[in-house]
Amino acid sequence: MIMMYALQHAQAAFTKGITSVRDCYSPHGVCKTLKLAESKGFITIPRITHVDAGMCMTGGHCWDEVVQVDGPWEIRKEIRKQMRDGAEWIKLLTSHRSHIPEFTQEELDAAVDECHRRGIKCVVHAGTHPSIQMCIDAGFDTIEHGTFLTVEQAEQMRDKGIAWTPTIFAYTYLYEVCKKNIEEGNADVFNDPVAAKEQRDYAYYEPAYESYRDNFKKLYDTGVTVCIGSDMVMYGAPVLPIAEEMSYMVKYGITPVQAVQTSTSNPAKVLGKGDELGLIEEGYIADITVVDGDLSQNIDCIKNINTVYLNGKAVYSDGVRFI
């Protein structure tokens, strides 16, 4: 069931013009199996770079979905196991809806050291000030969310070569849904445990939405590398809302061309594939998305997908997937 769901979403990426994805954790072996099936010619999917399972402290964020580890040597051991099992990146989760960090600095430092000495990159989920700073100090390769990132922290990330994946849409969507439930007095939301949990976090989503709205352009202007990201699929939200994420980036102050770079050349460089993906140049792999309209002037043209090419072969055109 999980594999069918994963395959469906992977192939749906083509309808959004997406030819490469970095999966930041899924059930053990899912992405590895998809990539194996693709290599054998059984399926056609976007290029996948993946972690295995994420890691949190005992009882930490997403404890029921990821691996729980405590202490620097337990973390190092889990990284070694995941690399053995085919992980291409490693992910830790170290903050949730609180300003209290979850992993200690010693644990974060050990994770980065183990990854980098073994030649693998690492990504971290961190949203609030103390945790973000600890992750910058540790030297992770990318920080996901960074919801309450400061200008000073963005400058440090720029100088250390740490990229930022803001996921504006995820928090804005949750804010808007929860706000609507309150305004309409929708008590039914509490009949669903997942929806009820999100509703209880409304006090976090409102300042999160405001932080992105008020600070995104200032943070972008520091020169920190910004990459597009969608976070998980939420109730009622569009699948892989990359177009919506880019629209928010432009709404909050950057140009359409800059927004396109967050989904092409920027992530290609972060993934270590900047010499073969992310640009339309001689010698590069022909992963190309064609849209109707002038995308350099109107970011909403990204929703008008005409044709998508993967390695020079059309995989989607005029509403039809060729897979």
Side-chain angles (χ1 to χ4, degrees):
M1 180 70 175
I2 291 174
M3 288 302 305
M4 292 178 65
Y5 181 82
L7 176 60
Q8 180 187 47
H9 279 251
Q11 293 181 331
F14 292 135
T15 70
K16 302 297 184 80
I18 300 167
T19 57
S20 291
V21 298
R22 181 187 60 162
D23 183 272
C24 281
Y25 83 74
S26 52
H28 177 69
V30 167
C31 286
K32 182 180 179 181
T33 302
L34 284 174
K35 292 186 69 168
L36 177 61
E38 189 276 335
S39 71
K40 299 295 185 182
F42 298 137
I43 59 175
T44 300
I45 56 174
R47 303 176 192 280
I48 296 178
T49 301
H50 65 93
V51 308
D52 191 61
M55 287 178 246
C56 74
M57 71 173 193
T58 297
H61 178 44
C62 287
W63 65 268
D64 55 343
E65 299 176 1
V66 301
V67 178
Q68 299 179 69
V69 289
D70 298 294
W73 282 104
E74 193 171 324
I75 289 171
R76 288 181 187 271
K77 182 177 180 180
E78 181 60 28
I79 290 171
R80 294 167 185 176
K81 287 170 59 179
Q82 292 195 10
M83 290 185 66
R84 176 201 66 192
D85 293 341
E88 298 167 300
W89 279 57
I90 296 296
K91 183 177 184 181
L92 272 70
L93 300 91
T94 187
S95 71
H96 190 40
R97 310 292 187 231
S98 167
H99 285 289
I100 301 174
E102 296 189 354
F103 282 119
T104 66
Q105 190 68 59
E106 181 184 23
E107 290 170 319
L108 296 172
D109 291 347
V112 174
D113 177 71
E114 188 63 31
C115 288
H116 288 174
R117 80 179 191 87
R118 298 291 303 281
I120 193 170
K121 291 187 175 184
C122 46
V123 46
V124 64
H125 168 114
T128 53
H129 292 157
S131 291
I132 293 170
Q133 188 60 55
M134 292 169 70
C135 295
I136 294 171
D137 293 342
F140 281 85
D141 294 285
T142 74
I143 294 178
E144 309 306 293
H145 315 303
T147 310
F148 296 99
L149 184 68
T150 68
V151 168
E152 293 74 20
Q153 289 174 331
E155 290 171 342
Q156 292 176 51
M157 291 173 65
R158 174 201 63 203
D159 295 343
K160 296 186 72 170
I162 301 172
W164 176 40
T165 310
T167 64
I168 300 168
F169 175 81
Y171 289 94
T172 302
Y173 178 83
L174 286 167
Y175 160 71
E176 291 175 344
V177 168
C178 292
K179 181 173 182 282
K180 182 178 180 181
N181 286 334
I182 292 171
E183 291 173 345
E184 296 180 354
N186 183 12
D188 290 342
V189 69
F190 293 103
N191 294 329
D192 183 295
V194 177
K197 177 180 177 294
E198 300 296 2
Q199 192 66 43
R200 287 192 291 269
D201 283 337
Y202 177 73
Y204 183 89
Y205 298 140
E206 183 172 20
Y209 150 73
E210 292 171 347
S211 181
Y212 286 121
R213 180 196 64 194
D214 299 339
N215 298 318
F216 176 73
K217 180 61 162 58
K218 291 182 285 187
L219 296 168
Y220 181 92
D221 285 346
T222 65
V224 63
T225 298
V226 178
C227 295
I228 208 83
S230 66
D231 204 3
M232 64 184 293
V233 177
M234 295 159 289
Y235 286 158
V239 175
L240 300 169
I242 298 303
E244 290 81 0
E245 182 79 3
M246 294 169 71
S247 292
Y248 275 117
M249 289 183 176
V250 173
K251 180 179 179 179
Y252 293 159
I254 68 174
T255 70
V257 171
Q258 289 171 328
V260 169
Q261 289 171 337
T262 71
S263 65
T264 52
S265 57
N266 287 4
K269 292 173 184 176
V270 170
L271 292 173
K273 299 178 180 180
D275 60 349
E276 59 181 5
L277 291 172
L279 295 173
I280 301 178
E281 288 189 4
E282 184 177 355
Y284 276 63
I285 295 171
D287 285 5
I288 300 171
T289 294
V290 180
V291 303
D292 294 327
D294 188 348
L295 186 57
S296 68
Q297 299 300 314
N298 181 3
I299 196 61
D300 287 336
C301 291
I302 195 64
K303 299 175 182 177
N304 304 328
I305 305 297
N306 183 302
T307 307
V308 179
Y309 297 90
L310 180 71
N311 200 25
K313 179 182 177 181
V315 290
Y316 176 83
S317 183
D318 294 330
V320 178
R321 291 203 309 250
F322 305 134
I323 49 179

